[in-house]
Amino acid sequence: MLLAFDTSMAACSAAVYDSARMRVLAARFAMMERGHADALAPMIKSVMDEAGIAFPDLTRIGVTRGPGTFTGVRTGIAMARGLALALDRKIVALDTLAAIAANAPKDKTPLVIAADARRDEIYFSAQGAAPIVLPVKEAVHRLPLEQSFILGTGAEALIAAAPEGRLIRLTAGNLPDARNFAVLCATYPVSDDPPEPLYLRPPDAKPQHQGGKSAAQIAIRQASVNEAQVLSALHAECFDNAWGAAEFAKLMAMPGAAAYLALEADEPLAFLLARQAAGEAEILTIATRPFARRRGIAGKLMSHLAHELREAGLVQLFIEVAADNSAARALYEGQDFTVTGKRKAYYEMPGGRREDAIVMMKALA
C-alpha cells in the first residue's frame, strides 16, 4: 500500500494506491492558492479512512519535491519525512513536472510540460527530461521537432511563443494529482536519504528586475504552527546557526507567541516570530531572504506587529541584536527602537567567540 500526496503548486491532493491490485483505493484533489499546511493532514486522514487502511499498513510514502512554491514544496516534504520517520518507511520523491505528465493519456506523445514560474519564465520538461527553468522564448528552441502535446499552467504562454500549430493543448490537468501520479511512486525506486526540495531557481539568486521594488507589493499574514518547517527553512537561509522545525513549532505553540510571514505572490520572503507576556512583547527572531533585502520588508513586518500589539493593549516591544550587527541596529533604530541595555558575551559566534547582545526597546503607547 502506498500513500501519495502533493502540495507543491496551486492544489493539494492525496491518494491511497494498492500496488498489488494496481488501483487507487481513495483520492482527493482540491484547488488552493494557500492553506496547504492546514489542508494536507485532514485530506490524508480522509483518504486513509475511505480506503480502510491503517498507517502501519503502508509500505512506502510518495511525494512531489518541486519545482513549485517555496511553502508548498516544504509542506509536502515535511509531511513525508514525518510519516516516514514515524512508520519507519521509505519515501519516493518525484519532480512536479513528472507528476503533471501523469495526467496525460499514454498515447499523447511527444509530451511537453510547462508550468508557470513567474517572471516570464516556465518550469519546462519535454519527453520526460529533468525539469529546468528558463524564459518562455528560450523554451521554444527546446521543443521536440515534431508536433507535440502540452500540459501545465505555463502552456498558453509557450503556445503563444511557439510557431502556430506546433503545440496541441491538452486539458487532462495542469497540476499534480496524486490519483494519477501514485502509480509512478509505486514503481520509482525508493531512497535511503530523505528527499530534498527541488527549486531550480536558487533561493539567493536576485532577479534582474528586482531592483527598485518596494514593500508595497508584500502581503503580511500570520503563520500557523503547521508552517514551522517553512520558518525553519527561511531561518537557515539567513543564519549560520539555524533553528530546526521542531524548535520553531515549540516556540510558536507557546502562550502569547505569534509568527508572521511576508509574502510576494505567495512566495515567502521574510518572517518574524514574537512572544508577549505581562504587557510587553519580544521579537525572538526576524529574517529576510538575502535576495529580498533592502526593500523595507522587515520594517513592514515590525510595523504590522507593533500595530497588532497596540490593538492588544501592550506598551513595550523588545528585541536583542548582536553588538557588531550595525545593519540590523540601524533598521531597528529606524523603527523607533532605542538601546536600553547590554548582555555581555550573550551570543556564541563561529570559532567559539562570544558577542555582546544589545537590548533595544520600542514604546508602543
Side-chain angles (χ1 to χ4, degrees), residues 195-208:
E196 293 294 334
L198 176 65
Y199 292 123
L200 295 185
R201 183 183 290 120
D204 58 352
K206 185 175 180 179
Q208 293 295 317

Side-chain angles (χ1 to χ4, degrees), residues 116-195:
D116 182 19
R118 302 191 178 98
R119 308 170 189 166
D120 297 320
E121 294 180 331
I122 57 172
Y123 299 122
F124 175 86
S125 174
Q127 298 175 289
I132 56 175
V133 61
L134 73 173
V136 174
K137 292 182 179 180
E138 184 178 333
V140 171
H141 302 296
R142 295 174 178 259
L143 292 172
L145 295 177
E146 63 267 47
Q147 188 180 56
S148 304
F149 297 93
I150 186 169
L151 269 179
T153 54
E156 277 68 29
L158 189 52
I159 290 171
E164 186 175 356
R166 185 74 172 276
L167 294 168
I168 301 173
R169 184 69 160 99
L170 296 179
T171 58
N174 293 320
L175 297 167
D177 187 342
R179 179 192 300 272
N180 296 325
F181 71 75
V183 62
L184 297 181
C185 297
T187 57
Y188 274 35
V190 296
S191 172
D192 291 331
D193 299 320

Side-chain angles (χ1 to χ4, degrees), residues 289-323:
R289 298 171 71 183
F291 74 83
R293 291 170 184 169
R294 300 185 182 279
R295 291 177 54 188
I297 300 174
K300 187 168 185 175
L301 273 170
M302 287 189 287
S303 295
H304 181 89
L305 174 65
H307 173 77
E308 295 292 316
L309 295 176
R310 288 191 191 97
E311 291 291 307
L314 278 73
V315 296
Q316 290 181 318
L317 174 61
F318 290 88
I319 192 168
E320 294 170 351
V321 58

